[in-house]
Each structure stands twice: as structure tokens, then as C-alpha cells.
Amino acid sequence: MNMLHRTARTGSEKARIWQICDELYARTGRVPSGREVVDIYVAEGGNEGTGFTQYSHWKREILAQAEAEDDTAATEPASLPFRPMTVSADGQLFLPPDVRKAMLLETDGRVTVSVVDGELRVISPMTAVHQLQKKALKLVPPGTLVSDELIAERRAEADMND
């Protein structure tokens, strides 16, 4: 992993905030929250607004870096083990790149959600398509070509119209 704070001018406020972000990320293995970063920065005498601004710039860069490192596009939905995540106070849930990839979540971010017995279920359009395709395959007997059936039906209709 690149330490992004090294790309900032040494001794700058940006470099210090990005260093805090990098250190928390390296220690926990997850993108830290803005509040975690800003609390450390403010305790050192920094400005809260500057902390949040630079945190948002760092977060954008680290996510872009992660996506660039993992540029192989998934073609099938995947499974990941349970992991703790945090929903922010305003209800936002950050989905890490590996989760978005496993969901086949495209850049537009569109999903469909449902809550079943208190469990949040989130599905991307591409994952829904794959699930429907699997269900459709179960309706066709093995070794049957639906295209052959369609051609036969069309020929029969043509013969009736002659």
C-alpha cells in the first residue's frame, strides 16, 4: 500500500492529516472514519474543518488507488464473510471496493434494498440479473436448446399462415 501522505509537501497540514489517515488505515485494515482522523488532528491543535476537508481528499485518493489496484472486473457475484461495518449517524453505509466488486455494483451505485426480519438486503441490478438467469436455467431441461424450440414454433406458425 502506498503511503499517500508522502505525496504531500513535507510539514504541511495536508501531509499531517494524510499521515494520520495512512497510519489508521495501516493499523486497522479499513478506511478510518473522518471523526477518528479529525479527533486525533484536533487533539494535536489542528483545525476541525481543515481535518475533515483533507480527510475527504485522502479518502477519495485511497479509494481510487484501491480500485486501480483491483481493476479486474468481476463477471459473477461473489461471497464474502461477515464483517463489522458502521452506519454513520446520518444513515450512510460505506461499501469497501471488495464488497462492491462482489456485488457487481457498477459505478452508478444503484441498488435495490429490502429489510427482512430486521436484516438489510442490498442487491445490485447485475446480481439480480444473474439470479434470474440461474432461475431460468432451472426451467429448461438439460440438453434442450431454447433456440431450437423457438425456431420450430416460428416454422409451425409460418406453415399455418401459408
Side-chain angles (χ1 to χ4, degrees):
M1 177 187 81
N2 290 335
M3 298 301 267
L4 291 177
H5 72 274
R6 293 183 182 150
T7 63
R9 183 174 40 88
T10 304
S12 67
E13 298 298 306
K14 174 182 177 178
R16 178 59 190 134
I17 296 163
W18 284 33
Q19 181 181 14
I20 294 167
C21 294
D22 286 340
E23 289 170 355
L24 288 171
Y25 187 50
R27 187 170 59 236
T28 64
R30 64 172 177 76
V31 173
S33 72
R35 178 50 54 196
E36 290 173 289
V37 173
V38 171
D39 284 349
I40 293 169
Y41 182 63
V42 168
E44 295 175 358
N47 179 283
E48 184 176 66
T50 303
F52 276 115
T53 299
Q54 286 304 319
Y55 165 77
S56 68
H57 294 305
W58 175 87
K59 184 176 175 182
R60 184 179 65 234
E61 289 296 319
I62 200 74
L63 295 177
Q65 184 183 79
E67 287 184 25
E69 289 172 0
D70 190 27
D71 62 354
T72 56
T75 57
E76 294 287 326
S79 297
L80 296 172
F82 281 99
R83 75 170 94 175
M85 296 180 80
T86 303
V87 176
S88 68
D90 63 353
Q92 294 184 14
L93 176 65
F94 170 76
L95 299 177
D98 63 325
V99 172
R100 294 192 308 270
K101 182 177 179 181
M103 293 176 63
L104 302 179
L105 186 57
E106 296 180 358
T107 55
D108 66 3
R110 293 182 322 143
V111 296
T112 302
V113 300
S114 65
V115 177
V116 178
D117 294 328
E119 177 182 330
L120 174 65
R121 297 181 183 180
V122 183
I123 188 167
S124 71
M126 285 305 298
T127 299
V129 166
H130 281 271
Q131 288 179 359
L132 286 172
Q133 288 172 337
K134 281 184 179 179
K135 288 179 183 179
L137 285 175
K138 291 178 183 177
L139 300 174
V140 178
T144 304
L145 290 176
V146 179
S147 57
D148 288 344
E149 290 180 12
L150 177 63
I151 291 169
E153 288 174 11
R154 295 291 162 88
R155 286 183 178 152
E157 287 176 13
D159 289 343
M160 291 172 56
N161 291 333
D162 285 340

